[in-house]
């Protein structure tokens, strides 16, 4: 009876020992990582600290950067300049500035005062020779005040292809009254004479500059001395100018006529003007030459075959 009772106890002990041995074996193989409730809870922060968790956010960011880096850049497309808001692109015709001929100054050298049809050869600016354009450039440099006029053609030799209306010299400080109609070459010679001879002579003898030059005749379709049967005058070509009086800045009038017995300064001025003017003109006639030139100086640029000058 005692043997039967001890046998089950021994079997129970063997089973318990076997279970404990198996449990220890499983713990050694990694099966014992399962968390078991603990009676001592303690500080919860200690428990969290002892259980580190993997932070997945940095890995996600690394993957995102890698994707951005690997992704190919979009192909470059050809960009065209777009006009700003409210602006329309210019057409080819609008890109070039157009000069309004109506606003062009009449005093601009090299161009007629009014051109209705610049394509027409008769009114084309290109019909003007290079010498005419160069002459006008020199007039501008000398300060001559002039305007272009329409071509003059009164028949025969009475014509000026590119006439000028001259009204002053020295940038307007010296006036010419009334305004004279001349060709460009005669205007240039007269302007040089005023600057190089007449103005210095008046300052030397009268200690005053010139205010006004009074002319008696410029362009005129007539014969020499206006006499029938004589050759046509250089006035008919705008190639001559007659001077009757000079007014100085101090108000003194110097008339071109035979001076009185005691008019020493006037005589000296007229004599020097007559002699020195031959350096600028081919013909110089004045008081004492004949009855037709008793009250003025006649200057012209007559082209003589002999090349001689007439200064009387």
């Amino acid at each position: 009876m005692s043997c039967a009772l001890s046998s089950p106890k021994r079997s129970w002990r063997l089973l318990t020992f076997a279970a404990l041995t198996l449990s220890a074996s499983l713990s050694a193989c990694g099966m014992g990582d399962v968390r078991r409730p603990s009676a001592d809870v303690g500080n919860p922060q200690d428990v969290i600290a002892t259980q580190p968790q993997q932070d997945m956010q940095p890995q996600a960011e690394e993957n995102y950067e890698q994707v951005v880096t690997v992704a190919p850049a979009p192909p470059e497309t050809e960009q065209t300049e777009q006009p700003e808001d409210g602006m329309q692109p210019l057409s080819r015709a609008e890109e070039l500035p157009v000069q309004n001929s109506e606003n062009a100054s009449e005093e601009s050298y090299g161009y007629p005062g009014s051109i209705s049809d610049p394509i027409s050869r008769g009114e084309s600016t290109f019909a003007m020779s290079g010498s005419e354009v160069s002459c006008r450039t020199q007039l501008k440099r000398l300060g001559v005040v002039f305007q272009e006029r329409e071509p003059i053609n009164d028949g025969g030799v009475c014509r000026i292809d590119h006439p000028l209306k001259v009204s002053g010299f020295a940038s307007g400080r010296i006036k010419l009254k009334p305004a004279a109609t001349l060709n460009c070459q005669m205007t240039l010679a007269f302007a040089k004479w005023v600057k190089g001879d007449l103005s210095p002579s008046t300052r030397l003898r009268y200690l005053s500059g010139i205010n006004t030059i009074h002319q008696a005749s410029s362009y005129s379709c007539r014969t020499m001395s206006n006499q029938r049967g004589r050759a046509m005058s250089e006035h008919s070509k705008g190639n001559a100018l007659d001077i009757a009086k000079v007014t100085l800045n101090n108000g003194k009038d110097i008339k071109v006529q035979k001076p009185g017995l005691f008019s020493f300064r006037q005589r000296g001025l007229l004599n020097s003007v007559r002699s020195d003017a031959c350096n600028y003109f081919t013909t110089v006639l004045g008081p004492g030459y004949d009855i037709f030139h008793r009250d003025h100086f006649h200057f012209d640029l007559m082209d003589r075959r002999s090349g001689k000058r007439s200064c009387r």
Side-chain angles (χ1 to χ4, degrees):
M1 189 66 178
S2 61
C3 185
L5 291 173
S6 60
S7 178
K9 291 181 179 179
R10 186 177 181 180
S11 299
W12 175 255
R13 292 177 179 174
L14 292 174
L15 290 174
T16 303
F17 177 78
L20 293 174
T21 303
L22 180 61
S23 176
S25 304
L26 292 175
S27 299
C29 294
M31 297 296 293
D33 293 337
V34 179
R35 297 181 60 182
R36 294 179 175 83
S38 177
D40 186 10
V41 178
N43 192 353
Q45 294 181 356
D46 297 337
V47 177
I48 295 175
T50 57
Q51 300 294 331
Q53 296 182 358
Q54 295 181 355
D55 191 359
M56 300 301 294
Q57 186 65 22
Q59 183 67 26
E61 291 179 356
E62 292 178 1
N63 294 337
Y64 176 78
E65 293 177 356
Q66 181 177 5
V67 172
V68 174
T69 304
V70 176
E76 296 182 358
T77 57
E78 201 173 348
Q79 297 182 355
T80 57
E81 296 182 3
Q82 299 293 334
E84 298 180 1
D85 296 341
M87 297 180 61
Q88 297 295 332
L90 295 177
S91 63
R92 178 68 62 179
E94 294 175 344
E95 291 178 358
L96 299 177
V98 179
Q99 182 178 3
N100 188 1
S101 59
E102 296 180 357
N103 297 332
S105 174
E106 293 183 356
E107 296 186 4
S108 298
Y109 61 87
Y111 300 93
S114 59
I115 302 177
S116 58
D117 183 12
I119 304 302
S120 173
R121 180 171 178 81
E123 299 183 23
S124 174
T125 59
F126 296 102
M128 185 177 294
S129 65
S131 61
E132 289 287 339
V133 176
S134 176
C135 177
R136 283 157 172 76
T137 303
Q138 295 181 67
L139 293 182
K140 286 289 186 178
R141 291 175 179 172
L142 288 172
V144 180
V145 181
F146 67 92
Q147 292 180 340
E148 300 283 350
R149 289 194 57 186
E150 295 292 338
I152 298 174
N153 189 352
D154 293 332
V157 298
C158 297
R159 62 178 296 170
I160 309 177
D161 293 334
H162 305 288
L164 301 177
K165 184 178 180 181
V166 185
S167 59
F169 305 94
S171 301
R173 293 189 298 272
I174 300 177
K175 295 177 282 295
L176 180 64
K177 293 184 179 181
T181 301
L182 303 168
N183 62 38
C184 189
Q185 295 300 327
M186 181 61 195
T187 304
L188 180 58
F190 192 83
K192 290 181 178 179
W193 172 72
V194 171
K195 180 179 180 180
D197 183 38
L198 183 61
S199 294
S201 297
T202 56
R203 289 193 184 95
L204 177 62
R205 289 176 169 82
Y206 290 93
L207 303 178
S208 177
I210 302 172
N211 180 274
T212 306
I213 299 174
H214 303 269
Q215 62 97 2
S217 178
S218 57
Y219 169 78
S220 178
C221 186
R222 59 179 176 82
T223 61
M224 290 183 178
S225 301
N226 206 18
Q227 290 184 319
R228 184 180 298 180
R230 298 193 63 178
M232 295 300 294
S233 172
E234 291 298 308
H235 285 282
S236 62
K237 307 173 186 178
N239 206 33
L241 185 63
D242 294 345
I243 300 302
K245 185 175 65 174
V246 175
T247 301
L248 303 180
N249 290 328
N250 59 13
K252 175 70 175 180
D253 286 334
I254 304 174
K255 295 182 179 179
V256 181
Q257 60 186 12
K258 189 175 180 178
L261 183 60
F262 299 101
S263 302
F264 302 109
R265 287 191 297 180
Q266 182 181 1
R267 181 182 292 105
L269 177 63
L270 296 179
N271 289 338
S272 65
V273 165
R274 185 193 298 253
S275 61
D276 295 340
C278 280
N279 296 324
Y280 303 89
F281 308 100
T282 58
T283 305
V284 178
L285 304 176
Y289 170 66
D290 61 16
I291 192 174
F292 301 106
H293 298 86
R294 66 183 182 275
D295 57 357
H296 66 273
F297 277 127
H298 169 88
F299 305 119
D300 71 41
L301 292 176
M302 178 183 288
D303 186 11
R304 297 181 176 87
R305 293 182 180 178
S306 61
K308 294 182 178 180
R309 299 173 182 262
S310 177
C311 300
R312 303 177 183 177

